Amino acid sequence: MAESSVDRQAIVAELERTRRTFRLLVESAGDDDFDRASAGTRWTNEQLLFHMVFGFMVVLRLVPLVRLFGRLPPAIGRAHARLLNAATTPFHEINFRGSCAAALVFDRRRMVGKCDRVIAALERKLAREPERNLRLGMAFPSRWDPFFADYMSLAEVYRYPVQHFDFHRRQLTLGE
């Protein structure tokens, strides 16, 4: 039985939806909105908006890792994921502080452009990706993020930043 192909058009449509939504969120927010605390996080809305872009940036770095680990014996990937899961507490602190610091550079005036460039890069990578690579996968540190499964294919990794974006969008307190 032949495996069905990955629906690249659906992935691109979701990436484009988030790109347009992100632009609208940022462009419709006022200074008070950016400085307001988000709901359920320690970030301001501006910091959380950058963190949402960061989810797409992370995927750019994950793509070659999934290609590599997807070709290694599965035990190596599982050991790597266990090691990363053991470092969950420091990871969360670095993730928090990193987004705070990065939002100083990719602030409300620069983050839309960054988002556009990163999503365009992901779309180009996806278009060039051989179908067989989209089936490669690796073990993930599932304690790091609610959308990381214990094992994810490259196709699932391309879908991850949209899930991450949609989750955090609900935590924004823009216009309140």
Side-chain angles (χ1 to χ4, degrees):
M1 171 187 271
E3 294 184 43
S4 62
S5 63
V6 172
D7 189 349
R8 294 169 198 251
Q9 288 180 333
I11 295 171
V12 169
E14 286 296 299
L15 290 168
E16 282 300 306
R17 175 188 59 82
T18 56
R19 186 189 59 75
R20 287 188 308 273
T21 300
F22 186 78
R23 178 175 290 277
L24 270 170
L25 289 169
V26 173
E27 290 177 351
S28 64
D31 288 340
D32 290 345
D33 288 321
F34 287 110
D35 296 334
R36 187 177 302 116
S38 62
T41 80
R42 297 186 291 166
W43 287 308
T44 65
N45 283 322
E46 185 168 30
Q47 293 163 340
L48 181 56
L49 283 162
F50 170 77
H51 178 75
M52 292 161 70
V53 174
F54 186 63
F56 294 93
M57 294 166 65
V58 165
V59 171
L60 282 175
R61 300 301 169 242
L62 287 175
V63 167
L65 283 175
V66 175
R67 284 190 208 124
L68 171 67
F69 277 93
R71 290 179 171 91
L72 296 174
I76 294 172
R78 287 191 304 269
H80 180 252
R82 279 193 306 274
L83 179 66
L84 294 176
N85 268 331
T88 297
T89 300
F91 164 78
H92 285 307
E93 192 60 28
I94 292 166
N95 188 34
F96 168 71
R97 292 183 188 277
S99 288
C100 291
L104 296 172
V105 176
F106 292 105
D107 61 4
R108 60 195 81 173
R109 288 170 292 284
R110 296 183 67 208
M111 66 175 70
V112 170
K114 182 66 172 175
C115 183
D116 287 346
R117 289 187 300 278
V118 171
I119 288 177
L122 284 172
E123 290 173 356
R124 286 190 304 272
K125 280 183 176 294
L126 177 61
R128 292 189 312 259
E129 201 70 60
E131 187 72 23
R132 69 184 177 281
N133 284 4
L134 293 171
R135 296 187 202 308
L136 292 172
M138 66 178 262
F140 270 76
S142 57
R143 292 179 51 207
W144 280 24
D145 188 282
F147 302 105
F148 281 174
D150 289 332
Y151 180 89
M152 294 174 68
S153 70
L154 186 54
E156 291 168 324
V157 170
Y158 274 106
R159 290 182 181 106
Y160 159 80
V162 172
Q163 295 172 312
H164 179 261
F165 177 93
D166 289 340
F167 174 79
H168 285 303
R169 180 180 177 198
R170 294 186 295 273
Q171 296 176 313
L172 292 169
T173 58
L174 303 173
E176 293 184 1

